[in-house]
Structure formats: structure tokens, C-alpha cells
Amino acid sequence: MKHLAIGICFSLAACSHKQLPPPPPSDLFEPVAVETKPGLSGLAVDDQGILFSVAERDRAAFAIDMTQRPPRVTALPIKGPADDPTLNGLDFEGIAWLGGNEFAFALEGANSAFAGVAWATRKGDALQVTRIATLPATALAIELTKNHGAEGICGTGNTVLVALENWQTRKAPGPNPRYAPVARIRDGVLEVAYLRLQSKRGKLASLDCTVAPDGSAHVWAIERHYDTTLVESFDMPAVLKPDALDLASHIEVDLTAAVAGRRNIEGIAQLRNGKLVLAVDNQGNKASGPSELLLLK
């Protein structure tokens, strides 16, 4: 186990992309447009059923009430910690609701090789970042590159799980021996397991989880690339043994054909009724259009 290093570094880079034709309708999900800043990333749900997502570069999260149509959206500006109000050089790639007014974000470097986690407290209609922790490449046992850092996050209380976008390639049986780090931070202590990816090029993009008091968790995940969109589940054990750090996922839904490369899925959350909802990042090489949530049928 390793204790965390602390580091601070945010980019307000803008993106513009050629508008593509809308994706075809699907039997697998119902799309719901939401009025937010562009580039949604990550998704979480609180105990009242309110969804939360975050704009990668606009320094704002959004509370989304899906009981209304159109959904009622409340913008929650993200404020920096007292010693660095700018959060220079970081993109917000995932969001977790930890209970009460507490949240956490997955962070990556827009112009640097950085992965980290920020914790924040909601104060009125704003989220105040209270601390930031660096996830060192040496502890993750992968190479960190710019725009490929911490991509998904989930958790509760004093425990968060973090998905990293890069991976290890190993000599192992099977066609796709790639393993993505899944970090667990509990009471300030960092542990790392490795999820075997299911596709040739997909990367972990989002997490949602139910965490037990012993730190074990049942996890929903998105594995995606332009030619891959998979909804998966896996279990994180309470104790990570040095000789048993590898995790295996199960493909729950293959959305590759339905998404057709024109929706970039960047968030997943399980609603109180057990159904899954996905967040669409509409900024990408092939993805464009309004912010959307996809309700899986």
C-alpha cells in the first residue's frame, strides 16, 4: 500500500467539431437531451435520485432532476482550494457522490501526464474543492500521458475507486491481454488492481459502484473507443493480495452497433429502480450534438 502524493495543476481549452447527422434510434436506450455545458464526462446519482455530471473543461458540474421533462438542470460551479483557486492544467473526467454534500472528481492533465482525484463539498449551488491527490505512475505501473489520466470515479464515504485510461500489455492467454488499473483510495491509502479489458482498443471511461463497509465493491463500467462501446460489471474484493490483483469483468450490454461511433459514452450510473443511465460526451472526433443521457431499456 502507498500513501498518496499531493499535487495541483486545469485547462479551459475549447473544442469545436463538424456537426454529424444524428445517430439512428435504438431499441436499447431512450435518449434524453439535457441543457448543460458541452463535453459531459462522468455520472453519479445521490440517494434522492438526482444525477450529477461534470463538464470536462468548463469548471462546472450539473445536478439533473430526471423526474421532470425536460429535465431540470442546476449548474454547480467548481471552485478551487484556497491555496490554488485556478486548478490550472486539469480536466474533470468523472464525478462521484460520496454521501451528503461530499463529492469526488477524476482528473487528468490537459497538457501534462497527470492523474489525480479532487474531493469537494457542496456549498449552496457551488462545489468547493478541498484537496487534490496525485496518482503516481509508479504506483499505477503504467505510463501516464497527457489527456490520458484518471477517467472514471465512484465511491462512498472514505472510499473511492478510480479508473485509469491507459493500460498494461502483458504476455497472457487470449487475444487482448491488456489490463487497466483500477485504484482504490481508502482512508488516504492507495491500492491498485488491474481489470482485464474486453476489447482490442477500448479504454475504461466511467465507473459507478456500490461499496460495502469492508471496502469491497460491485462496479459498473464503460469500456469504449470509437469502434467499441461496452457496458460491463465486475467486483472489487475487500482485500487485494499481491498474487491476486487481476479483476475480470462481464459484458452486460454491447452498445457498439447502437452507438455507431457517433455517441461517445463517458458516464454510467445505476438509478434507484435498478436501471442504468449513461452520459454522452458530445465533444470528440466523431461525436457531436447536444448533451444527452441515455436510459437503458
Side-chain angles (χ1 to χ4, degrees):
M1 296 182 181
K2 296 182 174 63
H3 288 276
L4 297 177
I6 301 298
I8 296 179
C9 67
F10 191 85
S11 168
L12 298 178
C15 294
S16 61
H17 299 281
K18 181 180 179 181
Q19 185 76 22
L20 296 175
S26 172
D27 302 349
L28 297 177
F29 54 76
E30 173 194 355
V32 179
V34 288
E35 292 291 332
T36 70
K37 293 284 188 180
L40 287 186
S41 195
L43 197 62
V45 61
D46 70 7
D47 57 353
Q48 301 301 310
I50 301 299
L51 290 162
F52 296 89
S53 191
V54 63
E56 292 181 19
R57 300 174 182 88
D58 280 277
R59 198 92 69 77
F62 301 92
I64 305 168
D65 184 352
M66 294 288 287
T67 64
Q68 305 181 29
R69 289 293 190 274
R72 183 165 64 90
V73 177
T74 302
L76 305 172
I78 298 169
K79 307 295 185 181
D83 57 339
D84 188 343
T86 60
L87 288 171
N88 290 327
L90 296 184
D91 286 348
F92 289 77
E93 296 291 339
I95 185 171
W97 175 72
L98 304 180
N101 290 321
E102 302 304 313
F103 293 80
F105 298 101
L107 306 173
E108 73 179 15
N111 303 300
S112 62
F114 177 88
V117 176
W119 286 264
T121 299
R122 182 171 180 175
K123 297 181 177 180
D125 282 342
L127 294 172
Q128 179 69 46
V129 173
T130 56
R131 58 193 173 104
I132 298 174
T134 298
L135 299 175
T138 52
L140 301 171
I142 59 169
E143 180 184 2
L144 291 174
T145 57
K146 69 177 182 179
N147 285 320
H148 292 84
E151 190 71 15
I153 191 168
C154 64
T156 188
N158 62 354
T159 302
V160 295
L161 272 62
V162 187
L164 280 298
E165 196 169 10
N166 281 352
W167 63 85
Q168 300 176 348
T169 301
R170 303 186 196 165
K171 292 182 179 180
N176 305 309
R178 299 185 305 124
Y179 293 79
V182 179
R184 177 169 59 199
I185 305 171
R186 192 178 189 211
D187 291 327
V189 176
L190 172 65
E191 303 173 281
V192 184
Y194 297 88
L195 181 71
R196 183 161 183 164
L197 297 170
Q198 295 270 9
S199 64
K200 292 183 178 180
R201 295 198 294 168
K203 301 179 284 289
L204 283 183
S206 184
L207 299 180
D208 188 42
C209 57
T210 303
V211 181
D214 64 0
S216 63
H218 182 68
V219 187
W220 295 97
I222 297 295
E223 180 178 332
R224 60 99 178 96
H225 193 66
Y226 296 116
D227 56 359
T228 301
T229 305
L230 303 174
V231 177
E232 302 171 7
S233 66
F234 65 92
D235 292 307
M236 171 75 86
V239 178
L240 295 179
K241 299 179 180 180
D243 59 346
L245 295 178
D246 292 347
L247 310 174
S249 67
H250 178 264
I251 297 176
E252 303 288 351
V253 187
D254 187 340
L255 292 173
T256 301
V259 168
R262 287 183 284 182
R263 283 187 170 104
N264 187 28
I265 308 301
E266 288 262 5
I268 185 169
Q270 186 174 33
L271 300 174
R272 299 169 73 194
N273 62 7
K275 293 189 176 182
L276 295 173
V277 59
L278 311 178
V280 176
D281 175 4
N282 58 12
Q283 292 182 348
N285 186 37
K286 298 181 181 179
S288 62
S291 297
E292 285 184 316
L293 298 179
L294 306 182
L295 303 176
L296 291 190
K297 299 179 182 178

